[in-house]
Amino acid sequence: MTELTFALLKYGFLVLLWVFIWLAVRSLRQDIETFSPRPSRSRRRREREVHKVKAEAPRTPATRSTAAPAAGRHTQQPTLLVIIDGPLAGSSVPLAESEITLGRAASNTVVLDDEFVSSHHARVYIDRASGQWAIEDLHSTNGTVVNQQRINRPTILPARIPVRIGATTFELR
């Protein structure tokens, strides 16, 4: 074997080793972000940008006139509980007349395999007084966060309001 061939093999294996290390670190980082009870930096940055754009949007007469029908659409009852972030992201549960329970225990409607989630963490149900969907934290250890506020009593849950339980974020649609 010539020196050139040996050097090419040596540096080729070195490059492959660095690629392997980079892929392993990237995979571990994604796993850690998945199990973290807080949203990732990139998700928080996107949310801040969305809030900033909404705050900076100018109100024109055309915008105001179309705002009334949009508000009317939000009074329509949601039909799905959609998981938007976390290990089950992209999955959904149809909202029926019965309540939906969330937690680690297999007896829940939505089973969240997360160390930051209690076995019976929260429930989503139709509030009898208002006829709207509500969420109740079932005295969990780490709490339930609705629209970036930790709740300690049953709370009405409008459509498109994010709810975080452990590493999972969901909303009603």
Side-chain angles (χ1 to χ4, degrees), residues 123-151:
R123 71 183 185 120
V124 176
Y125 62 98
I126 294 182
D127 181 50
R128 292 187 193 273
S130 66
Q132 296 178 315
W133 287 96
I135 185 165
E136 179 182 14
D137 185 79
L138 301 175
H139 308 291
S140 64
T141 306
N142 293 319
T144 301
V145 178
V146 176
N147 205 17
Q148 300 178 352
Q149 301 258 333
R150 185 171 174 163
I151 61 169

Side-chain angles (χ1 to χ4, degrees), residues 77-79 94-100 124-127 130-135 155-158 172:
Q77 286 286 359
T79 58
L95 295 173
E97 294 299 317
S98 60
E99 71 179 24
I100 295 174
V124 176
Y125 62 98
I126 294 182
D127 181 50
S130 66
Q132 296 178 315
W133 287 96
I135 185 165
T155 305
I156 298 297
L157 189 58
L172 301 183

Side-chain angles (χ1 to χ4, degrees), residues 46-158:
R46 279 189 309 238
E47 288 174 354
R48 276 196 305 265
E49 288 171 1
V50 167
H51 290 300
K52 196 183 298 183
V53 168
K54 285 181 181 178
E56 293 174 357
R59 286 253 175 199
T60 63
T63 305
R64 277 190 218 112
S65 66
T66 58
R73 257 186 269 132
H74 290 297
T75 59
Q76 185 180 17
Q77 286 286 359
T79 58
L80 281 177
L81 181 147
V82 180
I83 299 175
I84 56 176
D85 195 18
L88 298 175
S91 58
S92 62
V93 177
L95 295 173
E97 294 299 317
S98 60
E99 71 179 24
I100 295 174
T101 56
L102 300 104
R104 272 197 336 247
S107 61
N108 289 301
T109 312
V110 179
V111 178
L112 302 172
D113 187 21
D114 183 350
E115 65 187 46
F116 296 103
V117 175
S118 299
S119 52
H120 297 282
H121 196 99
R123 71 183 185 120
V124 176
Y125 62 98
I126 294 182
D127 181 50
R128 292 187 193 273
S130 66
Q132 296 178 315
W133 287 96
I135 185 165
E136 179 182 14
D137 185 79
L138 301 175
H139 308 291
S140 64
T141 306
N142 293 319
T144 301
V145 178
V146 176
N147 205 17
Q148 300 178 352
Q149 301 258 333
R150 185 171 174 163
I151 61 169
N152 54 11
R153 62 178 183 258
T155 305
I156 298 297
L157 189 58

